[in-house]
Amino acid sequence: MYDLVCVDCHARFDQTDIIYTCPRCGHLLTVEYDLASIEPPGAVWQQRPLSVWRYRELLPVEVPPVTLREGGTPLYHLETIGEELGIRSLYAKHEGMNPSGSFKDRGMTVGVSMALQLGRRIVACASTGNTSASLAMYAAKAKIPAVVLLPAGKVAVGKVAQALMHGARVISIRGNFDQALAMVHELCLTHGLYLLNSVNPFRLEGQKTIGFEAIDQLSRVPDRFVLPVGNAGNISAVYKGLIELKTLGMVDSLPMMTGIQAAGSAPVVRAIQEGLPAVVPEKNPETVATAIRIGAPVNAEKALTAIRATGGTATAVSDDEILAMQRALARKEGIGVEPASAASVAGVKRLIEEGAIDRDECIVCVVTGHLLKDPDTVIRQCEPPTEIDADIASLVSALGL
Ligand code: F0G
């Protein structure tokens, strides 16, 4: 049993109401379970495979879920990068290993299932790319149409390819992500499409399982969770899940929630560093990490709470720091991620160098999307292949043997 509750005025709404923000005050909504009536399900969970659906007692879905086997992603110990930074317990939760190659699948398996549960038959989103790829995939599985709005020219090619191939109706907006989101939100309210951006509280329910899995994999609560922040949904989701575990008495501490943004697109970082009550939107965000090129994060108020309530922090990293860490993860750890994902580990490096975090901490970085999402940015950083004639002498000579 759950209610939709406003995070600000705490008004409660029925679970069947199709609303994305509080009709009374306009603030965000959250899903609130009657945790007092739930037996702590720890022992039951341990018997199920590691996946989003291991945690179904803390998910709102009552219909058979639309699933492509999401979650259960690896948690890698970053041995080499950790050693270089002097951190023994540095981990990366590789969300690029989800079905569509990003963490969005955790949200979409729940969100598209909820669309069916609520009787909605067309789903929609705006996206910097990954949300659209994931929505297209889960809509295909659910046999319902999907509409996706993308900022023209600013979405990595792998993500557009996925949205197109899985059959979504793909619309390119001559504008940025924030404008596309405002448009699709209005479209959904006026035309009855079901909105599956992270303003949708049910989608975040799926994403909170990243935190549950990391704790199960480590057999402890890490001291710190570090996430790249765009629309600020994921960091809010992970925090919410951990609060639920604490309320159920299943963990006794909360990790310090830490958000990393790209320097050219960092309204959450600015709000944290300057102690502002709310973010000041940026009109023209810019970064090579197009996934997090967002100037007006819709979940900012939840994210600020998550960071402040846990004694966490936020910092911004340059595009050069992001790309250097993308290469380091690929070459020193064998972990292929897209630029936005590398931002979390680049942020840890920066915070360590600034003395802002402790080397003795157990740190989990969420690396959010797969390397192949954005092949253009990879190719631009690497030497091209060496082309030779098709004979062994040329090969030996090219290899300098
Ligand atoms: N990393 C990647 C790879 C992303 O695609 C996103 C968001 C984030 C991090 C940030 O997560 O928005 O919850 O703070 N991508 C969205 C999209 C905006 O449309 O695919 P967030």
Side-chain angles (χ1 to χ4, degrees):
M1 285 302 282
Y2 61 86
D3 283 329
L4 287 175
V5 181
C6 172
V7 297
D8 193 65
C9 75
H10 305 294
R12 306 182 87 81
F13 302 94
D14 191 78
Q15 38 179 283
T16 54
D17 287 347
I18 298 182
I19 46 176
Y20 309 104
T21 49
C22 176
R24 297 196 194 159
C25 70
H27 284 263
L28 297 169
L29 300 170
T30 190
V31 178
E32 202 176 282
Y33 302 92
D34 179 10
L35 293 176
S37 73
I38 296 180
E39 273 290 305
V44 182
W45 287 355
Q46 296 312 319
Q47 288 159 18
R48 299 179 186 151
L50 195 71
S51 88
V52 168
W53 297 101
R54 169 185 272 205
Y55 309 101
R56 55 181 174 260
E57 286 78 2
L58 290 183
L59 296 173
V61 177
E62 285 153 13
V63 295
V66 180
T67 175
L68 290 158
R69 312 227 196 295
E70 44 294 311
T73 56
L75 182 75
Y76 295 123
H77 183 204
L78 299 183
E79 289 176 20
T80 306
I81 294 173
E83 192 175 72
E84 285 172 6
L85 296 177
I87 313 171
R88 202 160 351 114
S89 300
L90 181 64
Y91 297 88
K93 179 89 171 133
H94 193 353
E95 289 296 297
M97 305 297 267
N98 274 297
S100 81
S102 86
F103 69 96
K104 305 290 180 179
D105 299 341
R106 292 180 187 269
M108 287 308 172
T109 183
V110 172
V112 172
S113 300
M114 286 305 291
L116 300 187
Q117 186 165 314
L118 294 167
R120 290 298 161 112
R121 290 292 177 266
I122 308 178
V123 287
C125 72
S127 182
T128 57
N130 282 321
T131 300
S132 67
S134 183
L135 182 62
M137 194 181 239
Y138 282 84
K141 178 73 182 171
K143 301 184 175 55
I144 57 175
V147 174
V148 309
L149 274 62
L150 306 177
K154 293 292 183 181
V155 178
V157 67
K159 306 172 188 181
V160 183
Q162 289 177 293
L164 292 169
M165 185 52 120
H166 288 296
R169 180 85 165 88
V170 180
I171 310 280
S172 258
I173 305 293
R174 288 187 282 274
N176 63 26
F177 168 82
D178 302 303
Q179 293 166 305
L181 180 55
M183 287 172 66
V184 75
H185 196 161
E186 186 177 337
L187 180 80
C188 288
L189 292 176
T190 53
H191 288 74
L193 284 73
Y194 192 62
L195 181 62
L196 275 167
N197 279 99
S198 55
V199 67
N200 181 313
F202 298 122
R203 212 194 89 190
L204 296 185
E205 291 302 291
Q207 289 175 206
K208 75 187 179 186
T209 61
I210 296 175
F212 296 170
E213 284 190 9
I215 290 172
D216 281 351
Q217 287 167 307
L218 280 174
S219 302
R220 61 161 289 184
V221 180
D223 299 306
R224 191 178 294 276
F225 260 108
V226 185
L227 296 98
V229 172
N231 226 2
N234 210 27
I235 192 168
S236 314
V238 171
Y239 169 69
K240 177 187 189 279
L242 298 172
I243 293 277
E244 288 168 354
L245 292 192
K246 189 145 185 281
T247 309
L248 285 168
M250 297 173 67
V251 301
D252 46 25
S253 63
L254 290 177
M256 293 174 274
M257 300 303 297
T258 299
I260 312 298
Q261 294 196 291
S265 179
V268 172
V269 173
R270 205 150 300 127
I272 290 292
Q273 291 182 347
E274 295 173 15
L276 308 177
V279 298
V280 178
E282 287 179 16
K283 272 217 153 51
N284 297 305
E286 204 47 84
T287 167
V288 69
T290 51
I292 51 172
R293 182 178 171 272
I294 295 177
V298 288
N299 288 292
E301 63 176 327
K302 288 183 179 175
L304 294 179
T305 303
I307 294 168
R308 288 179 173 144
T310 57
T313 187
T315 197
V317 286
S318 68
D319 282 1
D320 284 349
E321 289 171 88
I322 289 172
L323 295 179
M325 190 53 78
Q326 185 189 25
R327 294 191 298 272
L329 283 163
R331 293 176 179 190
K332 296 177 179 175
E333 303 285 355
I335 299 175
V337 299
E338 66 168 289
S341 313
S344 57
V345 191
V348 168
K349 180 168 191 283
R350 173 171 272 259
L351 289 167
I352 283 284
E353 286 165 0
E354 289 172 351
I357 64 178
D358 199 327
R359 290 191 156 85
D360 292 334
E361 290 177 7
C362 172
I363 303 175
V364 172
C365 296
V366 181
V367 296
T368 42
H370 199 278
L371 174 95
L372 291 172
K373 291 282 190 170
D374 188 357
D376 294 331
T377 304
V378 173
I379 298 285
R380 272 200 299 277
Q381 294 178 70
C382 299
E383 287 290 317
T386 310
E387 189 173 321
I388 60 166
D389 290 332
D391 62 73
I392 197 76
S394 303
L395 177 60
V396 170
S397 150
L399 294 175
L401 297 175

